[in-house]
Amino acid sequence: MALLEVRDLSVVFSRKGQSPFSAVDGVSFSVQPGQTVGLVGESGCGKSVTSLAIMGLLPRRSARVGGSVAFEGTELFSLSDKEMRDRRGKDLGMVFQDPLSSLNPVVPIGLQVTEVLERHRGMARKQARAEATELLNKVGIPDPTRRLSEYPHQLSGGMRQRALIAIALACRPRLLIADEPTTALDVTIQAQILSLLKELVAGTETALIMITHDLGVVAGLCDEVNVLYGGRIVERAERHELFAAPRHPYTHGLLDSIPRLDAARGEKLSPIRGSVADNIPWDGGCAFAPRCPNALRTCVEVTPELEWHEGRLLRCHNPVQPAALGVGSKEAR
Amino acid sequence: MASKLMQRRRDRIDELAAGADEGVSLAKDAMRRMARNPVAITGASIIAVFAVLAVLSPVLAPKDPFIRYNELTDRLRPDAIPGPMPGFLLGSDQNGYDFFSRLLVGAQQTLIVGVMATLIGVSIGIVLGGLAGAIGGWVDTLLMRFTDIMLSFPSLLLAISIAALFARTSQWTVIIAVAMVAVPIFARLLRGSMLAQRHSDHVLAATALGVHRRTIVFRHMLPNALGPVIVQATLTLATAIIDAAALSFLGLGDPDPVRAEWGLMLANAQDYLEVKPELAFYPAIAIIVVALGFTLLGESLREALDPKTRR
Ligand SMILES: Nc1ncnc2c1ncn2[C@@H]1O[C@H](COP(=O)(O)OP(=O)(O)O)[C@@H](O)[C@H]1O
Ligand SMILES: [Mg+2]
């Protein structure tokens, strides 16, 4: 049985005086114990909303959540508030994008770690403190005993994110969701945090959902990658297959926009045309069509379905042909 | 390339700075910033002097402020009140008391009224604002409508109306009236910053950890929401002293003319402005300077606690 089974997840935001906005639509994926799954896409494509929906953290009033999320066979959406609170932090952990604002500025780091240990593992203050020292040590924070009594603003960005990871993993959740955990950090620190995450989940039963806008991040980390566009999955493949032969023009474009060390001198990066701003809704055609180099007439007439295509899931009328790869996008222009 | 170098250097400096102020909390950080601010120092000094006078005034007063002295009453005439004379630094007041001693003791009375009124106002305001911010829903709507109504009156007018409700006026009339005027301000302020906290990243993060709602309110929302309340409380001390003086002046306070309180002294001096203007002038100056002290301190506290100006 899968650890997490997301079926047909949809989130519609409705505000007074505004037309309802569909942020996530029909997203399905599953996560096996110990597996690392990537959710990739440009900002605004619904990654954070997906993760908040899984955690049950979307605002009740404005967000209508549909579909189902099963965790070890238990339907999370049918749990009571209290049951869900008991699971958050214990079964499901989450690491957010901005480590500074995700920590309480007026509470020492130590208390923010022991808080969860006392809450979910029933530890006494003293025992929790010993465990907290251990945890900070494990995530590579030097001099953990001293750090415990420090406040978030006294730590560097990288150290803060390490502390947040320690907090999220304190109760050994079986699923960790990391929502762009490196986006707010320096390039050098990014790599450290990524390898820390990798190290912490490798060889354990802890599964990881890695959310990022950067395909480079998933390259070294994920077993399986879901590419999101406009709130829907447009391509899902095993990591090696995806990187070797991206089939959706959007994935292809994302890959092409990553700087490469082996690129020839003078060769320009090729960013995808346009931006999510000229997003169109999915009904009556492909949402990516206006930006797509491969767009056909059918693309603006018929909404593509997510279908099996040569061993992967693909939502495209005119996928990139493997033969065209390498020279691909350059000739297309 | 250059920018990356800069970034690394900045991080290094940050790290050094972080290492230097080991164990320093935000509050201490704010204190340190205040200690470097001349405005804060001025305000704090004024308040310190005032506080010391208030506490020590019974000891410091050269004469008993509640005894009429024959030396003074003998010379008291409708068109002349004795000025400075040996033993009586500022001479007599209109009733034959030692004016200087009464001014000193007045510091104590004025401080007590200001502090009590502010404390009561803050406490009730925090409870109401905290409830509104933590519970939300109809509790919030009801409480906020109530504060809207209270805030729609000019503050002094509201204080006068509340004071006028009392059958017998006393010092407590003033304190309660001034406190009630402050309640809606603090309620609204705390409610607003609690709401901001509710939508903050760290509260979302704490919620994602399954932390109890009680802990979220008391550990993660309230302490972070209190900053503006503390600033406002300091500023309110200033207006409370002025409002209390105004109520005394209007005869809504303690009717006992013997009591030494600046507002009352000011009120009672108004018939003697032509005979001895100092009788009104000194209490008025004292009220203004003290209010200024609290305002300066409050404003610099606001600045020191403002995250936008921090590092
Ligand atoms: N609370 C909300 N209310 C209304 N719209 C929202 C809310 N949260 C997110 N959205 C919208 O949903 C879309 C997806 O957002 P998000 O999941 O945060 O994107 P990202 O992939 O960058 O994480 C965006 O267009 C955003 O404006
Ligand atoms: Mg996001």
Side-chain angles (χ1 to χ4, degrees):
Chain A
M1 183 176 55
L3 178 72
L4 184 82
E5 188 81 53
V6 179
R7 278 277 151 265
D8 211 19
L9 181 72
S10 69
V11 178
V12 178
F13 287 107
S14 47
R15 286 247 175 86
K16 264 183 255 163
Q18 282 173 23
S19 53
F21 173 76
S22 170
V24 172
D25 194 10
V27 166
S28 303
F29 64 94
S30 60
V31 182
Q32 305 300 325
Q35 195 186 21
T36 298
V37 171
L39 281 185
V40 189
E42 284 165 304
S43 107
C45 70
K47 306 182 297 290
S48 297
V49 171
T50 303
S51 60
L52 292 176
I54 295 171
M55 296 288 291
L57 290 173
L58 285 170
R60 233 5 106 58
R61 273 205 212 158
S62 58
R64 252 203 347 272
V65 181
S68 86
V69 173
F71 184 83
E72 291 180 323
T74 312
E75 177 51 48
L76 292 185
F77 290 166
S78 63
L79 293 182
S80 70
D81 281 0
K82 187 188 171 303
E83 288 168 322
M84 199 58 207
R85 263 204 301 280
D86 288 343
R87 286 187 175 252
R88 282 188 212 118
K90 184 162 160 249
D91 292 340
L92 306 136
M94 186 152 179
V95 177
F96 292 91
Q97 177 170 343
D98 183 352
L100 180 56
S101 66
S102 300
L103 287 163
N104 184 342
V106 302
V107 171
I109 301 291
L111 188 56
Q112 305 193 48
V113 187
T114 53
E115 177 175 80
V116 267
L117 293 170
E118 288 169 31
R119 164 74 172 94
H120 292 299
R121 287 170 68 182
M123 289 187 177
R125 183 58 60 89
K126 208 166 158 208
Q127 187 191 8
R129 217 166 153 85
E131 176 75 15
T133 315
E134 187 63 28
L135 280 164
L136 291 198
N137 196 31
K138 203 166 121 194
V139 296
I141 294 181
D143 201 357
T145 328
R146 202 193 73 184
R147 292 294 180 191
L148 283 181
S149 56
E150 291 193 342
Y151 290 83
H153 75 278
Q154 292 171 273
L155 270 60
S156 67
M159 284 302 147
R160 281 179 210 132
Q161 195 58 294
R162 284 173 192 268
L164 277 169
I165 291 172
I167 294 170
L169 291 177
C171 300
R172 309 195 190 103
R174 271 153 296 167
L175 176 69
L176 179 68
I177 303 179
D179 188 355
E180 312 223 22
T182 60
T183 307
L185 305 174
D186 263 20
V187 182
T188 44
I189 312 288
Q190 276 184 15
Q192 292 173 13
I193 294 293
L194 284 179
S195 62
L196 173 70
L197 274 173
K198 193 171 171 178
E199 183 188 310
L200 288 174
V201 298
T204 69
E205 283 293 278
T206 302
L208 174 66
I209 297 181
M210 185 71 193
I211 294 178
T212 175
H213 65 270
D214 183 355
L215 266 179
V217 166
V218 299
L221 205 59
C222 299
D223 304 312
E224 191 177 64
V225 183
N226 294 285
V227 181
L228 253 72
Y229 188 83
R232 294 192 186 188
I233 291 179
V234 293
E235 182 165 10
R236 157 153 76 237
E238 190 270 330
R239 184 225 319 187
H240 294 293
E241 281 175 32
L242 188 90
F243 280 90
R247 303 299 302 276
H248 198 286
Y250 177 60
T251 318
H252 190 232
L254 279 180
L255 264 178
D256 245 10
S257 56
I258 301 178
R260 273 212 303 253
L261 282 179
D262 59 356
R265 256 165 177 268
E267 187 181 349
K268 291 225 181 70
L269 289 178
S270 35
I272 309 177
R273 285 187 294 159
S275 68
V276 250
D278 38 51
N279 233 346
I280 60 156
W282 280 95
D283 36 55
C286 173
F288 185 60
R291 298 170 65 190
C292 183
N294 286 15
L296 305 173
R297 185 173 195 100
T298 47
C299 293
V300 292
E301 286 167 354
V302 184
T303 309
E305 295 298 324
L306 191 63
E307 287 163 341
W308 285 102
H309 186 97
E310 295 168 21
R312 70 178 77 194
L313 279 170
L314 200 59
R315 189 192 292 279
C316 187
H317 291 307
N318 187 18
V320 179
Q321 292 311 311
L325 285 171
V327 275
S329 66
K330 303 233 148 47
E331 278 182 358
R333 260 182 289 125
Chain B
M1 197 61 228
S3 80
K4 199 173 281 175
L5 214 87
M6 284 290 291
Q7 171 76 42
R8 203 165 306 151
R9 198 171 298 162
R10 244 190 342 251
D11 281 359
R12 182 77 197 117
I13 292 171
D14 276 1
E15 238 162 53
L16 284 176
D21 55 20
E22 197 176 315
V24 177
S25 71
L26 281 187
K28 285 195 194 136
D29 185 43
M31 290 301 279
R32 247 200 350 227
R33 287 146 54 90
M34 301 255 302
R36 287 195 301 256
N37 183 351
V39 177
I41 294 170
T42 312
S45 310
I46 293 174
I47 294 163
V49 168
F50 176 60
V52 167
L53 285 183
V55 173
L56 297 182
S57 58
V59 188
L60 289 178
K63 301 280 175 189
D64 188 330
F66 304 112
I67 289 179
R68 293 174 196 236
Y69 288 88
N70 288 333
E71 299 96 306
L72 301 175
T73 47
D74 288 350
R75 300 193 206 179
L76 216 52
R77 238 157 273 117
D79 57 346
I81 295 172
M85 49 195 278
F88 302 93
L89 202 54
L90 294 174
S92 172
D93 75 350
Q94 66 275 20
N95 296 319
Y97 295 108
D98 178 33
F99 184 37
F100 181 68
S101 298
R102 284 177 70 79
L103 268 182
L104 274 180
V105 174
Q108 193 175 45
Q109 291 301 313
T110 307
L111 188 71
I112 289 175
V113 171
V115 168
M116 288 302 288
T118 306
L119 275 183
I120 295 174
V122 169
S123 313
I124 301 180
I126 283 184
V127 172
L128 296 185
L131 282 177
I135 300 176
W138 65 266
V139 177
D140 183 27
T141 314
L142 193 77
L143 286 171
M144 286 308 112
R145 282 302 146 276
F146 169 69
T147 61
D148 279 345
I149 294 168
M150 300 265 284
L151 285 172
S152 63
F153 294 102
S155 67
L156 194 56
L157 196 66
L158 183 63
I160 291 170
S161 325
I162 295 171
L165 291 178
F166 288 81
R168 269 186 40 230
T169 57
S170 73
Q171 190 180 3
W172 282 101
T173 321
V174 176
I175 293 177
I176 291 172
V178 173
M180 287 308 130
V181 171
V183 164
I185 300 174
F186 287 109
R188 215 151 233 287
L189 196 63
L190 185 67
R191 182 254 188 188
S193 52
M194 289 280 277
L195 278 193
Q197 286 300 316
R198 183 144 52 151
H199 296 129
S200 72
D201 286 355
H202 72 264
V203 167
L204 181 69
T207 314
L209 289 167
V211 175
H212 283 301
R213 272 215 301 252
R214 187 171 8 104
T215 318
I216 291 198
V217 170
F218 286 105
R219 183 180 290 163
H220 297 285
M221 287 166 68
L222 200 55
N224 282 293
L226 278 179
V229 172
I230 294 168
V231 171
Q232 184 61 40
T234 317
L235 295 171
T236 297
L237 273 167
T239 54
I241 286 168
I242 291 176
D243 285 357
L247 289 182
S248 294
F249 185 85
L250 293 170
L252 291 164
D254 197 331
D256 180 6
V258 178
R259 255 201 48 220
E261 193 234 307
W262 292 342
L264 202 62
M265 291 166 73
L266 187 58
N268 293 334
Q270 54 186 323
D271 294 336
Y272 304 91
L273 281 180
E274 292 183 2
V275 187
K276 189 173 178 181
E278 301 99 293
L279 289 182
F281 186 66
Y282 287 137
I285 288 289
I287 291 170
I288 292 170
V289 170
V290 164
L292 180 71
F294 281 117
T295 309
L296 292 180
L297 190 71
E299 287 297 341
S300 50
L301 196 59
R302 187 207 300 282
E303 211 172 288
L305 286 174
D306 186 354
K308 283 197 281 296
T309 63
R310 183 179 297 135
R311 217 187 264 152

